[in-house]
Protein backbone atom coordinates (compact mmCIF):
# COMPACT_ATOMS: atom_id res chain seq x y z
CA UNK A 1 0.00 0.00 0.00
CA UNK A 2 1.09 3.53 -0.54
CA UNK A 3 2.03 5.84 2.26
CA UNK A 4 -0.60 6.21 4.88
CA UNK A 5 -1.41 5.34 8.42
CA UNK A 6 -0.92 7.69 11.30
CA UNK A 7 2.10 8.67 13.28
CA UNK A 8 1.22 9.10 16.95
CA UNK A 9 3.71 8.19 19.65
CA UNK A 10 3.41 4.54 20.65
CA UNK A 11 1.48 5.15 23.85
CA UNK A 12 -0.45 8.24 22.78
CA UNK A 13 -3.21 7.46 20.27
CA UNK A 14 -5.19 10.42 18.99
CA UNK A 15 -8.67 10.25 20.46
CA UNK A 16 -11.66 12.42 19.58
CA UNK A 17 -13.42 14.27 22.39
CA UNK A 18 -16.75 12.55 21.69
CA UNK A 19 -18.24 10.14 24.23
CA UNK A 20 -16.84 6.65 23.80
CA UNK A 21 -19.03 3.63 23.08
CA UNK A 22 -18.53 -0.08 23.61
CA UNK A 23 -20.10 -3.02 21.86
CA UNK A 24 -19.59 -6.21 19.89
CA UNK A 25 -18.71 -6.67 16.25
CA UNK A 26 -22.28 -7.63 15.39
CA UNK A 27 -23.55 -4.52 17.17
CA UNK A 28 -21.09 -2.42 15.18
CA UNK A 29 -22.37 -3.93 11.93
CA UNK A 30 -25.96 -3.25 13.00
CA UNK A 31 -25.11 0.35 13.90
CA UNK A 32 -23.39 0.95 10.57
CA UNK A 33 -26.35 -0.41 8.64
CA UNK A 34 -28.66 1.73 10.78
CA UNK A 35 -26.61 4.81 9.88
CA UNK A 36 -26.86 4.10 6.15
CA UNK A 37 -27.95 7.27 4.36
CA UNK A 38 -27.47 9.49 7.41
CA UNK A 39 -25.32 12.66 7.25
CA UNK A 40 -21.64 11.77 7.27
CA UNK A 41 -20.79 13.31 10.70
CA UNK A 42 -22.97 10.62 12.32
CA UNK A 43 -19.96 8.28 12.00
CA UNK A 44 -18.68 10.03 15.13
CA UNK A 45 -21.40 8.19 17.07
CA UNK A 46 -19.27 5.05 16.67
CA UNK A 47 -16.14 6.36 18.39
CA UNK A 48 -15.16 3.80 20.99
CA UNK A 49 -14.22 0.16 21.47
CA UNK A 50 -15.76 -2.79 19.62
CA UNK A 51 -15.12 -6.40 20.60
CA UNK A 52 -14.63 -8.34 17.37
CA UNK A 53 -14.00 -11.68 19.07
CA UNK A 54 -10.28 -12.28 18.53
CA UNK A 55 -9.43 -8.59 18.68
CA UNK A 56 -10.72 -5.20 19.73
CA UNK A 57 -11.36 -2.52 17.12
CA UNK A 58 -10.93 0.99 18.47
CA UNK A 59 -12.18 4.01 16.56
CA UNK A 60 -10.20 6.89 18.05
CA UNK A 61 -10.95 9.71 15.63
CA UNK A 62 -13.72 9.80 13.04
CA UNK A 63 -13.49 12.10 10.07
CA UNK A 64 -16.30 14.65 9.86
CA UNK A 65 -16.45 14.75 6.06
CA UNK A 66 -15.69 12.23 3.29
CA UNK A 67 -13.09 14.64 1.91
CA UNK A 68 -11.35 15.14 5.27
CA UNK A 69 -8.29 13.13 6.36
CA UNK A 70 -9.35 9.52 7.05
CA UNK A 71 -10.45 8.12 10.39
CA UNK A 72 -7.98 6.72 12.93
CA UNK A 73 -8.38 3.09 13.99
CA UNK A 74 -6.47 0.68 16.19
CA UNK A 75 -6.66 -3.10 16.09
CA UNK A 76 -5.65 -4.67 19.42
CA UNK A 77 -5.07 -8.43 19.56
CA UNK A 78 -4.47 -9.87 23.06
CA UNK A 79 -1.36 -12.02 23.38
CA UNK A 80 -3.64 -14.86 24.47
CA UNK A 81 -4.78 -14.86 20.83
CA UNK A 82 -1.71 -13.53 19.00
CA UNK A 83 0.60 -15.91 20.91
CA UNK A 84 3.95 -14.37 19.96
CA UNK A 85 6.74 -15.92 22.06
CA UNK A 86 8.39 -13.47 24.45
CA UNK A 87 11.77 -14.24 22.87
CA UNK A 88 10.53 -12.50 19.72
CA UNK A 89 10.19 -9.11 21.42
CA UNK A 90 11.95 -9.22 24.81
CA UNK A 91 14.82 -6.93 23.80
CA UNK A 92 14.54 -3.49 22.24
CA UNK A 93 16.09 -4.45 18.90
CA UNK A 94 13.99 -7.62 18.58
CA UNK A 95 10.87 -5.65 19.47
CA UNK A 96 11.68 -3.08 16.78
CA UNK A 97 12.36 -5.88 14.29
CA UNK A 98 9.13 -7.74 15.14
CA UNK A 99 7.04 -4.58 14.82
CA UNK A 100 8.68 -3.87 11.46
CA UNK A 101 8.02 -7.43 10.28
CA UNK A 102 4.37 -7.31 11.33
CA UNK A 103 3.90 -3.93 9.67
CA UNK A 104 5.15 -5.41 6.40
CA UNK A 105 2.86 -8.43 6.81
CA UNK A 106 -0.07 -6.12 7.52
CA UNK A 107 0.68 -4.02 4.43
CA UNK A 108 0.85 -7.16 2.29
CA UNK A 109 -2.46 -8.45 3.64
CA UNK A 110 -4.17 -5.11 3.05
CA UNK A 111 -2.80 -4.93 -0.48
CA UNK A 112 -3.66 -8.57 -1.27
CA UNK A 113 -7.26 -7.87 -0.30
CA UNK A 114 -7.38 -4.73 -2.44
CA UNK A 115 -8.22 -2.67 0.62
CA UNK A 116 -5.52 -0.09 -0.05
CA UNK A 117 -7.31 0.92 -3.24
CA UNK A 118 -10.95 0.39 -2.32
CA UNK A 119 -12.05 3.99 -2.87
CA UNK A 120 -13.98 4.56 -6.07
CA UNK A 121 -14.05 7.83 -7.93
CA UNK A 122 -17.57 8.26 -9.24
CA UNK A 123 -17.89 11.99 -8.95
CA UNK A 124 -19.48 14.09 -6.24
CA UNK A 125 -22.49 11.83 -5.67
CA UNK A 126 -20.71 8.52 -6.28
CA UNK A 127 -19.45 5.91 -3.84
CA UNK A 128 -16.16 6.79 -2.21
CA UNK A 129 -14.01 5.59 0.66
CA UNK A 130 -13.40 2.19 2.18
CA UNK A 131 -9.64 2.19 1.65
CA UNK A 132 -7.39 1.05 4.50
CA UNK A 133 -3.93 2.60 4.85
CA UNK A 134 -0.99 1.55 6.99
CA UNK A 135 2.31 3.38 7.36
CA UNK A 136 4.40 1.62 4.71
CA UNK A 137 7.91 0.63 5.82
CA UNK A 138 10.85 1.64 3.69
CA UNK A 139 14.05 -0.32 3.22
CA UNK A 140 15.38 0.32 6.72
CA UNK A 141 14.24 -1.43 9.88
CA UNK A 142 13.56 1.36 12.37
CA UNK A 143 11.18 2.01 15.23
CA UNK A 144 7.76 3.00 13.94
CA UNK A 145 4.32 3.54 15.44
CA UNK A 146 2.24 1.43 13.02
CA UNK A 147 2.53 -1.70 15.18
CA UNK A 148 3.15 -2.05 18.92
CA UNK A 149 3.96 -5.35 20.64
CA UNK A 150 4.19 -6.03 24.37
CA UNK A 151 3.33 -8.77 26.86
CA UNK A 152 -0.36 -7.85 26.82
CA UNK A 153 -1.19 -7.33 23.15
CA UNK A 154 -0.25 -6.70 19.55
CA UNK A 155 -1.68 -3.41 18.32
CA UNK A 156 -1.80 -2.17 14.73
CA UNK A 157 -2.71 1.38 13.78
CA UNK A 158 -4.23 2.40 10.48
CA UNK A 159 -6.46 4.93 8.82
CA UNK A 160 -9.68 4.08 7.03
CA UNK A 161 -11.63 6.40 4.77
CA UNK A 162 -15.14 5.61 5.95
CA UNK A 163 -17.43 5.01 2.95
CA UNK A 164 -19.80 7.66 1.66
CA UNK A 165 -22.29 8.25 -1.12
CA UNK A 166 -21.95 11.95 -1.73
CA UNK A 167 -21.94 13.29 1.84
CA UNK A 168 -24.12 10.50 3.23
CA UNK A 169 -22.95 7.44 5.12
CA UNK A 170 -22.66 4.26 3.08
CA UNK A 171 -23.35 2.01 6.03
CA UNK A 172 -23.52 -1.38 4.34
CA UNK A 173 -20.15 -0.88 2.68
CA UNK A 174 -18.66 0.33 5.97
CA UNK A 175 -20.00 -2.73 7.77
CA UNK A 176 -18.44 -4.99 5.16
CA UNK A 177 -15.07 -3.24 5.43
CA UNK A 178 -14.88 -3.17 9.23
CA UNK A 179 -16.56 -6.43 10.21
CA UNK A 180 -15.68 -8.74 7.29
CA UNK A 181 -12.60 -7.58 5.40
CA UNK A 182 -10.61 -6.16 8.33
CA UNK A 183 -10.88 -9.32 10.51
CA UNK A 184 -9.53 -11.33 7.57
CA UNK A 185 -6.51 -9.01 7.34
CA UNK A 186 -5.90 -9.31 11.08
CA UNK A 187 -6.05 -13.11 10.96
CA UNK A 188 -3.54 -13.17 8.09
CA UNK A 189 -0.97 -10.76 9.51
CA UNK A 190 -1.07 -10.33 13.29
CA UNK A 191 -1.29 -13.90 14.63
CA UNK A 192 1.88 -15.91 15.20
CA UNK A 193 0.20 -19.10 13.96
CA UNK A 194 -0.61 -17.46 10.61
CA UNK A 195 3.00 -16.50 9.87
CA UNK A 196 6.00 -18.44 8.61
CA UNK A 197 7.76 -18.92 11.95
CA UNK A 198 11.14 -19.87 10.50
CA UNK A 199 11.14 -16.83 8.21
CA UNK A 200 10.10 -14.56 11.08
CA UNK A 201 12.81 -15.80 13.45
CA UNK A 202 15.47 -15.64 10.72
CA UNK A 203 14.46 -12.00 10.16
CA UNK A 204 14.68 -11.20 13.88
CA UNK A 205 18.05 -12.94 14.22
CA UNK A 206 19.41 -11.08 11.19
CA UNK A 207 18.39 -7.67 12.54
CA UNK A 208 19.79 -8.54 15.97
CA UNK A 209 23.10 -9.64 14.41
CA UNK A 210 23.31 -6.42 12.39
CA UNK A 211 22.79 -4.34 15.51
CA UNK A 212 25.45 -6.30 17.39
CA UNK A 213 27.95 -5.72 14.58
CA UNK A 214 27.19 -2.00 14.51
CA UNK A 215 27.71 -1.77 18.25
CA UNK A 216 31.06 -3.57 17.87
CA UNK A 217 32.56 -1.09 15.40
CA UNK A 218 33.99 1.29 17.99
CA UNK A 219 35.65 -1.56 19.89
CA UNK A 220 37.65 -2.34 16.76
CA UNK A 221 38.43 1.29 15.84
CA UNK A 222 36.09 1.10 12.86
CA UNK A 223 33.48 3.62 11.76
CA UNK A 224 31.38 1.93 9.07
CA UNK A 225 30.80 -1.06 6.84
CA UNK A 226 31.75 -0.78 3.17
CA UNK A 227 30.13 -3.10 0.66
CA UNK A 228 32.30 -5.43 -1.41
CA UNK A 229 33.34 -3.81 -4.66
CA UNK A 230 32.82 -0.26 -3.42
Amino acid sequence: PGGGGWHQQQDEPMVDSYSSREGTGSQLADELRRLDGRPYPAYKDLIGSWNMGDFTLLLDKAQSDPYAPPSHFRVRVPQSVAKFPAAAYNSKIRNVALCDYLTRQLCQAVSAGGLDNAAENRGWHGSKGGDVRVETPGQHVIQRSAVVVNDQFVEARCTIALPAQGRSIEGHKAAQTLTQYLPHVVAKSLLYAALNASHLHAFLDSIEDQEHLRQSLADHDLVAFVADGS
Side-chain angles (χ1 to χ4, degrees), residues 1 99-101 103-105 107 134-140 144 146:
C99 291
D100 180 277
Y101 187 90
T103 301
R104 296 175 194 276
Q105 294 297 311
C107 288
V134 180
E135 180 186 359
T136 308
Q139 178 181 358
H140 302 291
R144 298 183 177 88

Side-chain angles (χ1 to χ4, degrees), residues 6-10 135 143-148 155-157:
W6 48 288
H7 308 276
Q8 291 299 109
Q9 295 297 317
Q10 286 202 350
E135 180 186 359
Q143 187 168 1
R144 298 183 177 88
S145 61
V147 172
V148 176
E155 181 176 284
R157 299 163 178 185

Side-chain angles (χ1 to χ4, degrees), residues 1-8 13-14 55-63 69-76 103 106-107 110 115-116 130-136 145-148 155-162 177-178 182-183 185-186 190:
W6 48 288
H7 308 276
Q8 291 299 109
M14 182 180 292
F55 67 93
T56 300
L57 179 64
L58 299 108
L59 172 53
D60 293 317
K61 185 175 179 63
Q63 62 203 99
S71 301
H72 292 183
F73 284 85
R74 286 179 290 150
V75 170
R76 180 173 287 181
T103 301
L106 182 61
C107 288
V110 167
L115 297 181
D116 56 335
D131 47 315
V132 179
R133 298 299 173 101
V134 180
E135 180 186 359
T136 308
S145 61
V147 172
V148 176
E155 181 176 284
R157 299 163 178 185
C158 65
T159 61
I160 301 176
L162 292 170
T177 299
L178 297 181
L182 193 59
V185 167
V186 171
L190 298 180

Side-chain angles (χ1 to χ4, degrees), residues 126-205:
S127 176
K128 59 184 69 68
D131 47 315
V132 179
R133 298 299 173 101
V134 180
E135 180 186 359
T136 308
Q139 178 181 358
H140 302 291
V141 176
I142 59 174
Q143 187 168 1
R144 298 183 177 88
S145 61
V147 172
V148 176
V149 179
N150 57 38
D151 288 332
Q152 285 74 48
F153 55 77
V154 175
E155 181 176 284
R157 299 163 178 185
C158 65
T159 61
I160 301 176
L162 292 170
Q165 189 89 24
R167 291 189 182 276
S168 299
I169 288 174
E170 198 168 8
H172 294 279
K173 183 177 178 180
Q176 191 175 48
T177 299
L178 297 181
T179 66
Q180 296 180 34
Y181 297 155
L182 193 59
H184 180 73
V185 167
V186 171
K188 287 283 189 180
S189 60
L190 298 180
L191 307 185
Y192 183 71
L195 304 177
N196 183 325
S198 60
H199 185 269
L200 167 61
H201 288 287
F203 180 87
L204 300 180
D205 291 343

Side-chain angles (χ1 to χ4, degrees), residues 17-31:
S17 58
Y18 286 73
S19 58
S20 181
R21 296 186 58 181
E22 293 185 357
T24 65
S26 61
Q27 288 172 330
L28 174 60
D30 289 343
E31 283 294 295

